[in-house]
Amino acid sequence: DAMVIQNPRYQVTQFGKPVTLSCSQTLNHNVMYWYQQKSSQAPKLLFHYYDKDFNNEADTPDNFQSRRPNTSFCFLDIRSPGLGDAAMYLCATSRLNLASNEKLFFGSGTQLSVL
Amino acid sequence: AQSVTQPDIHITVSEGASLELRCNYSYGATPYLFWYVQSPGQGLQLLLKYFSGDTLVQGIKGFEAEFKRSQSSFNLRKPSVHWSDAAEYFCAVAPSGGSYIPTFGRGTSLIVHP
C-alpha cells in the first residue's frame, strides 16, 4: 500500500563522499518534492519538480542536486556531504500544483548520517 | 515571505484530557493553513487544512482547528487525547497564490501520559 517509497530508511556516508537518496511513487503524481528536516527543526523545501520542470529554492546549496528520470522516480544527490547535511530527507508528491483540493503525500523519509 | 511559529516545543497531556497546540503565522494576505502529524518513523500526514469559508475546520482523527485572522493564529484542538496521538505536530502556511507550497513550523512534540 505504500504510495511514496523512500529507500533506504537509514543511510550512512562519509564526509565528502557523494550519496544518492531515492524516492519512488505509485500515485502517478505530477509533482515531487524534496524536504530537508534537521533535528528539532521544520522541514525545509529544497526543490521540486513539476513533471520535468525543476524548481530550485533560492537558498538550497549547490551541493544538492536532483534528478527525475521519469514520473515515478526522483533522486536527491549530495555531491560532497558535510556534517551539517546530516538530517532526515523527506520526499513528497502531489497530483498537481497544490491548490484547494490537493495535498502533499509524504514518504517515511531517509535519515542521513555523515561520519 | 510567509512564516510559522509554533511556540511550544513539547506538550504533555494525560490520556483523556483536552489538547490545544498553538500556531501563529505571518503572511500579508489570507493564507492557506495546514496541520500535519508525524508519527515516529513515518512521513507527515495531513490532519486538516483551511483555505476559505468556515473558520472552524474539522479534520481526521477527531482534530479540529480554528482560524483567527485577528490573532494570526490557527490552533489545533482535540477534546480527548488518546495515547496513539503521541507524535510530532507541524503547522504550515502557504501563500494563497503561486505554488501553494507550504512553509512548515518547527513542530510541537506531543507526549501523552496514561
Side-chain angles (χ1 to χ4, degrees):
Chain A
D1 287 322
M3 296 181 289
V4 182
I5 304 156
Q6 291 188 246
N7 286 308
R9 181 70 180 88
Y10 299 94
Q11 176 74 56
V12 180
T13 191
Q14 293 178 335
F15 183 93
K17 183 176 181 180
V19 65
T20 295
L21 309 182
S22 71
C23 176
S24 64
Q25 53 129 339
T26 59
L27 298 163
N28 203 35
H29 281 177
N30 293 297
V31 194
M32 296 187 77
Y33 311 77
W34 279 105
Y35 281 86
Q36 179 193 61
Q37 183 183 16
K38 294 187 177 180
S39 181
S40 301
Q41 295 185 25
K44 178 180 177 299
L45 182 67
L46 295 173
F47 24 61
H48 73 281
Y49 275 94
Y50 190 105
D51 291 331
K52 289 190 177 296
D53 291 335
F54 178 69
N55 299 271
N56 196 34
E57 293 300 296
D59 56 354
T60 297
D62 292 339
N63 197 27
F64 290 84
Q65 304 287 322
S66 185
R67 295 171 285 134
R68 189 178 184 185
N70 53 53
T71 299
S72 300
F73 286 88
C74 194
F75 300 100
L76 170 60
D77 300 309
I78 308 177
R79 291 191 298 184
S80 182
L83 297 179
D85 297 327
M88 174 74 81
Y89 289 88
L90 296 168
C91 175
T93 72
S94 63
R95 188 172 62 92
L96 299 171
N97 269 333
L98 296 171
S100 59
N101 292 322
E102 298 294 333
K103 68 177 184 179
L104 291 170
F105 291 80
F106 280 87
S108 298
T110 293
Q111 182 68 51
L112 178 69
S113 299
V114 181
L115 303 180
Chain B
Q2 66 274 14
S3 66
V4 176
T5 302
Q6 292 181 249
D8 303 306
I9 298 175
H10 303 284
I11 290 282
T12 302
V13 298
S14 298
E15 191 169 16
S18 62
L19 170 70
E20 183 169 30
L21 302 182
R22 296 184 291 165
C23 172
N24 293 97
Y25 69 89
S26 174
Y27 182 62
T30 300
Y32 290 171
L33 295 161
F34 310 83
W35 276 98
Y36 282 82
V37 61
Q38 186 179 30
S39 298
Q42 302 295 318
L44 280 72
Q45 180 186 19
L46 181 66
L47 282 176
L48 47 78
K49 60 186 178 184
Y50 170 80
F51 276 58
S52 64
D54 193 346
T55 56
L56 184 62
V57 180
Q58 302 298 320
I60 62 172
K61 304 185 181 187
F63 286 92
E64 67 177 27
E66 187 171 11
F67 169 54
K68 293 186 177 180
R69 184 190 304 274
S70 61
Q71 298 176 20
S72 297
S73 69
F74 189 57
N75 294 348
L76 181 72
R77 301 193 293 250
K78 187 170 184 178
S80 178
V81 169
H82 188 262
W83 65 266
S84 61
D85 294 323
E88 193 84 15
Y89 290 82
F90 293 92
C91 182
V93 60
S96 52
S99 69
Y100 303 97
I101 297 176
T103 297
F104 288 89
R106 61 176 296 169
T108 297
S109 179
L110 175 64
I111 301 164
V112 180
H113 281 167

